[in-house]
Amino acid sequence: MKPPRFLSLFTLLSLLGSVSARADKLDEWYKLLPKNTVGVIAIKNTPELLADWDKSSFAKLMQDEEFKKWTAPMIKDGETPWDKALKEETGEGLYDSLKRYPGASMAIFVGDSPEDFSGDSPPVCALSDATGQEKALEEMKAKEAELSIKKDETLKQRTQDVAGVTVHILSDSEDADEGWEDGHAFVDSTLVEATSLKDMQYLITALKSGAGEGSDVVGGHLTRLSKLTDGNTDVLIYLNGETLVQWGLDAALASAGEGAAQMPVSPETIIEALGPKELQSIALTLDLSDAESRIEMAILHPEKPTGFVNLLRSSQGEITLPSFVPADVLSSTVTRYSLLGLWDNLLAMVNKLGPMAAMATMQLGGVEAQAGVKIREDIFASLDDEYIEITDGTLEDQSQVLAIKVKDRERFGGAVDGVKRFAGSGFAAFEETEYLGYQINVIKAAQPSGTELAFCLTDGYFLFSTGPQALLKKVLARMKEPTGPSIWDDARVQDLIARLPKGYGGVGVADGGKMMKVVVDAMSMVQGKVGQGSKKKGKGKKGKGKKAVDPDDTDAALEAIAGGQDSWFDPAAAPSDAMWKRYFGTSISGYYSPADAIHYRAISTPVEAQ
C-alpha cells in the first residue's frame, strides 16, 4: 500500500509557513470555495517569508554557536530532518523550494462526510499563484512525480483534458477518477493541485469563469475573521466548526444507538444543554512585519450563546494592572471574568438536562447546610470579576498564584471558615502559618498529591497557590509594600500593551526567554523518556516488521513522536539562559469577547527593538 500523501509535502509546508502581500488574490479565491469546505490554510505571499525569515530571531538563533552545539545530534551530514524529508519528496531543501513560489497559496480541505478522510489520500486541493514561475513550478512537479514513481512502481503519469486545460495526473489506475496520487494543472497564472477528478474539475471551471458554487457559511466566517484580525493576515488556518461539530454529533448519536433509551438523560438533551453547535469556527492566524509579530486565535459563535462556549467569554470593563505582580516572574494575566456568572451558567446548563439532573443540584442544599455556607451568595457573589494568574519557576519546580478580587471580605471570610470546618471533618487538614501579618493556610489533603497547595485571604484578594510558596510570599510582600517596579511597569511591556486594540477583557505578559527555557527542559525530558524506552526494547528479540503503537505504552508513544531519531539534542550542551534572552523577548496578549466571538491576540517585537 502506498503511503498517504497530501499533494506535495512542500505545498503544505509552504502554506503553513509563508507570509505577506497580495491579499486580493486570496479574496478572489475565497469566493470560489466549494460548499463542502471543512478547512482552509491560506497565505499571502511566499517571497516575503524568506525576507522575514532571514531577518527573524529564529534565523539568527539557528546560527548561534550555542544552539548549533545543542542541536548537533539531529543534524546528519549537515542536513536538518525537515530538509531531508523534503528532499525525498521534491529533490530540494525547504528554502530552495520556497523560492519557487512567487505569491499567494491556499489549501482547501473538502468532504461530505468523515469517511472522506479515512483513506490514504484525504480530499485536499490547492491553489497557488504561479505568475512568472510556471516553468520552475512545472519542473518541481515533474521531479516530485519522478521521485514518487521510484518509491512506488505502480504509479504512472498521464494527462487528461478538463475544460480545455491539460491536467497532469499521477495515478496507479487508468480509470479517470481512481487511484489519484496527485494531479496538477495551470489555469492562466494559477497552479491548481488536487487528488480527485471531481475537485480538479470544479476548481478549473471556477477559475476560468471567475465564479463558483460558493459556501455562504465559510464565506461568512472568513469575513467575520477578517474584521477581527484587521484584514487578511499573512497566514490563516481555518476550520469549519459547523460541519465538523455536526459530524461529531452524528457519530456520537450513532454510537449511543439503542442504548440511548436506557440513559437517564437522552443524548439529544445533553447536546442541547452543552450547545456544541454554537461552535461555528476556529481559526489561527499569523502576521509578521519588521515592527512586530502577531499570532491570533478566534472562536466564532452566535450572539448570546448559552452553551459551554459562553463559559469561555470574559466580562466587560476596564482592566487594572496590579502592582503586586513581581517584575521577574515567568508570566502573568489579568482578566475580567465573573465566577458568579460561571456558576449561574453551569446551573442553567444542568437544569436543561431535565428533572434527574435538577435533583442532583438540589442535593447541594444538604452540603450547604452542613457547611453553613451558601455557595452562590456567600462565595461567588462575594467575589469581584478581576481574576489574576501569576506563574514562575522551572519545569520541575513551577509555582502559580491565582488572585481573585474580593467584594465582601467579611462574608467571603466566613464562607472560607465554613468550608474549612466542613473539609476538616475527614477530607483535609489545614496548617496555618503567618507571613508579614497575613495568614497562610496550607492544605494537607487526605490523599497527598505531591504538589503543595495553600491559600490566603487579604483585605482585597483571595490568593490560591500551587507549588512552592516562594512566589506566594513575593506577591504578599508586594501587597504589603510594593517596592520596585512591577512586571507591568517595564517599558517594553507598556509599549506592547499600547499596540493592542482597546476593549480587551484580559491582558497577559510573558518572558519569552524564560518560557523557552521551560520548553527546552520539557523537550529534554521527552528525549530522555524516548531513550529509556529504546534501551528497554533493545534488550529483547528483534521482530520482523513494525507493530502498531500501543496507546497505553508511554515509551512507545514517545518514540513514535521522535520519528525514530535516537537523539535530537545534546543535554550536555544545553544553551544558557542568556542565549534564549538574546532571541526571545517579551510578548503581550489581549483577550476580547465581542458579541459573536472569542478572540485572542499575542504581540511581540524583535529583541533588538526591545
Side-chain angles (χ1 to χ4, degrees), residues 242-496:
E242 298 192 36
T243 295
L244 295 174
V245 168
Q246 188 59 56
W247 286 357
L249 295 179
D250 290 344
L253 291 173
S255 177
E258 296 180 359
Q262 281 71 51
M263 296 175 64
V265 183
S266 71
E268 291 83 359
T269 302
I270 295 174
I271 290 170
E272 178 64 26
L274 294 177
K277 291 184 179 180
E278 294 178 337
L279 181 58
Q280 297 175 333
S281 167
I282 299 177
L284 180 69
T285 70
L286 170 68
D287 210 57
L288 300 179
S289 69
D290 291 345
E292 65 184 35
S293 301
R294 227 170 68 202
I295 296 176
E296 301 182 64
M297 189 184 77
I299 296 175
L300 301 184
H301 59 71
E303 293 188 13
K304 298 180 180 179
T306 59
F308 76 92
V309 168
N310 192 35
L311 305 181
L312 307 177
R313 293 175 55 80
S314 61
S315 307
Q316 299 299 315
E318 186 178 348
I319 294 292
T320 302
L321 302 176
S323 61
F324 56 75
V325 180
D328 58 351
V329 296
L330 190 69
S331 65
S332 181
T333 61
V334 186
T335 309
R336 299 299 296 267
Y337 188 82
S338 172
L339 293 177
L340 176 61
L342 170 65
W343 177 257
D344 288 344
N345 289 327
L346 283 173
L347 288 186
M349 292 170 63
V350 170
N351 287 332
K352 288 181 182 179
L353 298 177
M356 293 288 291
M359 287 177 62
T361 62
M362 291 174 61
Q363 296 179 7
L364 289 174
V367 176
E368 290 179 330
Q370 293 181 57
V373 174
K374 291 287 187 180
I375 296 175
R376 185 186 189 281
E377 290 78 8
D378 296 337
I379 297 180
F380 293 115
S382 298
L383 297 172
D384 211 333
D385 67 348
E386 184 180 304
Y387 179 86
I388 302 159
E389 293 184 15
I390 310 167
T391 304
D392 201 16
T394 63
L395 179 68
E396 301 83 6
D397 201 20
Q398 197 164 104
S399 299
Q400 186 176 57
V401 171
L402 308 180
I404 307 170
K405 193 170 185 178
V406 178
K407 288 192 296 187
D408 189 334
R409 188 192 187 285
E410 183 176 351
R411 187 166 189 171
F412 184 78
V416 170
D417 290 339
V419 172
K420 286 172 61 177
R421 288 193 299 270
F422 178 73
S425 61
F427 298 103
F430 299 89
E431 180 181 285
E432 297 181 357
T433 61
E434 185 175 306
Y435 180 74
L436 298 179
Y438 297 111
Q439 181 178 295
I440 298 175
N441 294 267
V442 180
I443 302 173
K444 303 293 184 179
Q447 298 291 330
S449 64
T451 301
E452 186 174 336
L453 304 175
F455 64 86
C456 177
L457 179 61
T458 71
D459 289 340
Y461 289 89
F462 175 68
L463 307 178
F464 186 82
S465 167
T466 61
Q469 289 185 32
L471 178 59
L472 172 62
K473 291 180 177 178
K474 287 173 71 173
V475 170
L476 289 172
R478 290 191 62 84
M479 283 186 167
K480 189 77 173 181
E481 186 176 353
T483 56
S486 163
I487 193 171
W488 307 107
D489 297 324
D490 184 272
R492 294 173 294 179
V493 173
Q494 288 293 318
D495 172 66
L496 289 168

Side-chain angles (χ1 to χ4, degrees), residues 136-155:
L137 290 171
E138 186 62 74
E139 290 174 352
M140 184 191 75
K141 298 301 295 183
K143 185 65 174 179
E144 286 179 14
E146 178 187 334
L147 293 172
S148 296
I149 291 171
K150 283 184 178 179
K151 293 179 183 178
D152 185 351
E153 294 182 355
T154 66
L155 294 174

Side-chain angles (χ1 to χ4, degrees), residues 192-218:
V192 184
E193 298 174 89
T195 53
S196 75
L197 177 61
K198 176 186 173 183
D199 293 333
M200 181 64 77
Q201 287 174 328
Y202 172 79
L203 288 173
I204 288 176
T205 303
L207 283 168
K208 291 189 72 174
S209 65
E213 60 185 13
S215 172
D216 293 337
V217 171
V218 175

Side-chain angles (χ1 to χ4, degrees), residues 21-304:
R22 293 296 296 279
D24 56 334
K25 180 68 74 173
L26 291 180
D27 288 331
E28 292 173 13
W29 291 345
Y30 288 160
K31 296 173 184 177
L32 307 179
L33 289 172
K35 286 185 177 180
N36 61 346
T37 298
V38 296
V40 171
I41 302 175
I43 57 131
K44 287 183 183 179
N45 185 281
T46 304
E48 196 162 318
L49 164 67
L50 302 178
D52 286 338
W53 171 258
D54 290 338
K55 293 181 289 186
S56 72
S57 295
F58 289 99
K60 295 172 183 176
L61 168 70
M62 294 184 70
Q63 297 304 315
D64 191 286
E65 289 303 319
E66 281 191 69
F67 186 81
K68 286 182 178 180
K69 290 178 182 178
W70 180 56
T71 57
M74 75 171 172
I75 308 297
K76 305 296 184 184
D77 300 322
E79 193 170 66
T80 62
W82 47 88
D83 270 336
K84 180 181 178 182
L86 194 56
K87 283 184 178 180
E88 291 176 356
E89 292 284 335
T90 68
E92 294 180 314
L94 179 59
Y95 195 94
D96 289 334
S97 294
L98 283 171
K99 289 195 296 186
R100 293 183 183 269
Y101 280 68
S105 295
M106 178 171 69
I108 311 160
F109 297 83
V110 294
D112 297 308
S113 71
E115 288 71 29
D116 289 336
F117 291 84
S118 61
D120 287 342
S121 298
V124 56
C125 40
L127 301 175
S128 299
D129 184 2
T131 305
Q133 285 291 96
E134 290 88 349
K135 182 178 179 181
L137 290 171
E138 186 62 74
E139 290 174 352
M140 184 191 75
K141 298 301 295 183
K143 185 65 174 179
E144 286 179 14
E146 178 187 334
L147 293 172
S148 296
I149 291 171
K150 283 184 178 179
K151 293 179 183 178
D152 185 351
E153 294 182 355
T154 66
L155 294 174
K156 305 295 180 184
Q157 289 181 286
R158 58 186 170 87
T159 61
Q160 183 172 337
D161 183 277
V162 175
V165 174
T166 300
V167 178
H168 299 264
I169 302 165
L170 184 64
S171 171
D172 62 6
S173 170
E174 291 298 323
D175 190 289
D177 196 27
E178 293 295 329
W180 278 44
E181 174 79 1
D182 186 22
H184 77 275
F186 289 90
V187 179
D188 295 328
S189 60
T190 298
L191 170 64
V192 184
E193 298 174 89
T195 53
S196 75
L197 177 61
K198 176 186 173 183
D199 293 333
M200 181 64 77
Q201 287 174 328
Y202 172 79
L203 288 173
I204 288 176
T205 303
L207 283 168
K208 291 189 72 174
S209 65
E213 60 185 13
S215 172
D216 293 337
V217 171
V218 175
H221 293 170
L222 294 174
T223 298
R224 289 161 62 188
L225 288 169
S226 179
K227 291 179 180 178
L228 290 175
T229 58
D230 304 323
N232 289 330
T233 54
D234 294 333
V235 180
L236 165 71
I237 301 174
Y238 158 86
L239 293 176
N240 181 351
E242 298 192 36
T243 295
L244 295 174
V245 168
Q246 188 59 56
W247 286 357
L249 295 179
D250 290 344
L253 291 173
S255 177
E258 296 180 359
Q262 281 71 51
M263 296 175 64
V265 183
S266 71
E268 291 83 359
T269 302
I270 295 174
I271 290 170
E272 178 64 26
L274 294 177
K277 291 184 179 180
E278 294 178 337
L279 181 58
Q280 297 175 333
S281 167
I282 299 177
L284 180 69
T285 70
L286 170 68
D287 210 57
L288 300 179
S289 69
D290 291 345
E292 65 184 35
S293 301
R294 227 170 68 202
I295 296 176
E296 301 182 64
M297 189 184 77
I299 296 175
L300 301 184
H301 59 71
E303 293 188 13
K304 298 180 180 179

